[in-house]
Amino acid sequence: MRRLRAGHWLLCVTVLLAASSPLAAQVIHFESNGMAYQVLTREGLTLMCAAMPFRTSRYAVMHIAVSNGSRETWQIDADDFVFEYMDGTRVRAATEERVVGEFFRSAGRSELLKLQTAYEKALYNNQYIRPNNSYEKRRLSALAFGPKGLKASAAAAAITFVSGKVGPGDSTDGALFFPTSGRQLGPGRIVADLGPVSFEFLAQ
């Protein structure tokens, strides 16, 4: 599982929440590098998300970060996240296996490089997220792959949100891929049902 330094960005988010409202379950909005982020904390688990200004030929892409400030271990899966359009149509985020497999088959190098650039820009220029070297190590590993399809799928694996357990004090982040045939998500809401707790964000 990819990890961030939880204390760094969770502390920033905690200060942001405290300064904005005494209501712990209120969604907080802020902008970073032209991306509109939303932050919500429930039961000690904090989710941060923003639609990325980039889409592939198959997917709309969203950047999310998760930080666990509780004493519980949470199972977070990519397909826990659903986008619901205004008409009630629902699109579930693809699993990392599906995303990586499709990049392996299509080997969309140019498309992937654009996505990688957009992802790194969102990650490294966000003052509320301070990543360690885990993503950089995965990126360098991806460059070591020879065949075009393997290199594309390895790079996709470095970017894609990886399902797994997030223990107390741990953090993780990545890109969620919603199968929209390349269309932007548009107005609606993002819903994540994580066990007994539900997170909901409005999208414009």
Side-chain angles (χ1 to χ4, degrees), residues 56-71:
T56 74
S57 59
R58 296 180 178 86
Y59 299 105
V61 187
M62 178 169 292
H63 181 223
I64 69 163
V66 181
S67 184
N68 184 6
S70 76
R71 297 180 180 179

Side-chain angles (χ1 to χ4, degrees), residues 104 141 156 170 176:
F104 173 75
S141 295
D170 284 347
L176 291 176

Side-chain angles (χ1 to χ4, degrees), residues 52-56 61 103 108-122 135 155 159:
M52 295 186 64
F54 176 86
R55 59 188 183 274
T56 74
V61 187
F103 272 107
R109 180 188 177 98
S110 176
E111 184 177 65
L112 185 60
L113 286 176
K114 291 178 182 178
L115 173 60
Q116 189 173 31
T117 299
Y119 177 79
E120 291 180 354
K121 186 177 180 181
Y135 168 72
I159 296 171

Side-chain angles (χ1 to χ4, degrees), residues 149-202:
L150 286 177
K151 183 177 292 187
S153 59
I159 296 171
T160 306
F161 182 83
V162 177
S163 300
K165 295 184 183 299
V166 182
D170 284 347
S171 296
T172 185
D173 92 295
L176 291 176
F177 292 78
F178 291 88
T180 61
S181 300
R183 299 187 303 275
Q184 290 285 20
L185 291 171
R189 62 178 188 150
I190 304 103
V191 180
D193 291 319
L194 307 177
V197 181
S198 181
F199 291 77
E200 180 178 326
F201 304 94
L202 293 180

